[in-house]
Amino acid sequence: MSAAGILEGELEAEHLADRAARLLARAGSVIEARGLAYAVRFARGRRPMLVINEAAFRKLFARLVPRGDGGWRLSPQAPSPPPGRPGFVEGEKTVVEPDGRATTHRANLGEAPLDWLLRRKHITRAEHAAGEKLSADAHASGIIGRLTMRWDPTPRSGGGSRLEPMERAYAARQRLGRAMEAVGAEAMPILTLICLTGTSLQGTEVALGMRPRTGKAALKAALQRLAAHYGMA
């Protein structure tokens, strides 16, 4: 599977794990094995509210404790999943591309993790720019859904026609795949959570099962490799 395909699977697994955790935060809800998948129920005998795959279950497992009569429930020590993510304000953001196109996509209108880290000088401007470029390519590729997209089919003055939307998405997906291959599979999860889904540093450490206060060094190393790949270092 290509790096972009792996990334898409990571994002989908994170999304399903977050949905499952929010359901499991409700009293009486459990998650049980169902063939090769896992079903979230509010009570035995009821139809499942959500079915997740093995990849999502693995991301969720650290927050679960086994039940005496089978299945798992959310651990009392696990952080309660809020409606959304701490520091995340969902909205729309319009970005003007270098060729003059304007694309609108879902974005964090609060302080994004990369901005928070840059403001505290935990990462450099080059590392911040590399993370932002990765995020922009992920949105442009269609891996992270855009709400709307506008383009002008008329060639710009100076010659040359604009790429069609599907061609632009394919080109972005290729760039994304090359970037992820350059940084390596071990860096992909932390870059996915912080740069692409806007998860906080603390939330990323919990989601990846890392020891507290170890995520910053891991992220910085990943961003350094990413910046080197983009020629920003």
Side-chain angles (χ1 to χ4, degrees):
M1 181 183 292
S2 68
I6 294 172
L7 176 61
E8 188 170 5
E10 286 279 332
L11 286 169
E12 178 64 16
E14 287 292 343
H15 174 67
L16 287 173
D18 284 345
R19 286 182 61 195
R22 285 195 286 273
L23 289 172
L24 288 167
R26 303 181 187 181
S29 59
V30 299
I31 183 168
E32 301 167 325
R34 185 186 186 188
L36 298 178
Y38 299 84
V40 179
R41 305 175 187 273
F42 286 130
R44 281 189 179 276
R46 294 189 177 183
R47 295 181 63 182
M49 302 299 295
L50 177 68
V51 176
I52 65 174
N53 58 21
E54 179 70 26
F57 181 76
R58 287 180 181 274
K59 292 184 178 296
L60 181 66
F61 187 75
R63 291 180 271 179
L64 302 177
V65 292
R67 300 171 70 244
D69 52 353
W72 301 263
R73 59 183 174 82
L74 197 66
S75 169
Q77 283 74 45
S80 294
R85 294 183 292 279
F88 191 92
V89 180
E90 187 170 2
E92 298 178 33
K93 182 178 181 181
T94 299
V95 177
V96 178
E97 306 289 350
D99 66 355
R101 288 181 302 108
T103 59
T104 303
H105 57 79
R106 292 183 178 89
N108 181 8
L109 301 184
E111 186 175 34
L114 287 176
D115 295 340
W116 187 91
L117 290 162
L118 178 64
R119 185 160 60 84
R120 287 162 177 77
K121 299 182 180 179
H122 295 320
I123 61 175
T124 66
R125 290 193 176 277
E127 292 159 2
H128 178 274
E132 289 284 283
K133 181 172 176 58
L134 188 75
S135 176
D137 277 341
H139 281 99
S141 72
I143 286 178
I144 300 176
R146 285 164 293 174
L147 296 175
T148 61
M149 180 170 64
R150 298 184 299 274
W151 65 90
D152 178 1
T154 306
R156 300 175 66 195
S157 59
S161 61
R162 292 169 181 249
L163 288 174
E164 291 299 322
M166 290 186 65
E167 292 175 322
R168 290 199 300 269
Y170 178 77
R173 193 181 182 91
Q174 294 296 103
R175 292 194 301 271
L176 189 64
R178 288 194 296 269
M180 283 302 191
E181 287 170 1
V183 300
E186 72 282 357
M188 192 179 299
I190 196 166
L191 290 176
T192 297
L193 285 171
I194 290 182
C195 300
L196 306 190
T197 69
T199 305
S200 68
L201 186 61
Q202 182 180 7
T204 296
E205 290 173 342
V206 172
L208 298 181
M210 304 174 72
R211 294 193 306 275
R213 294 179 294 279
T214 60
K216 190 194 310 178
L219 174 65
K220 189 172 181 67
L223 288 173
Q224 285 173 346
R225 291 198 292 273
L226 188 63
H229 167 72
Y230 286 139
M232 297 175 174

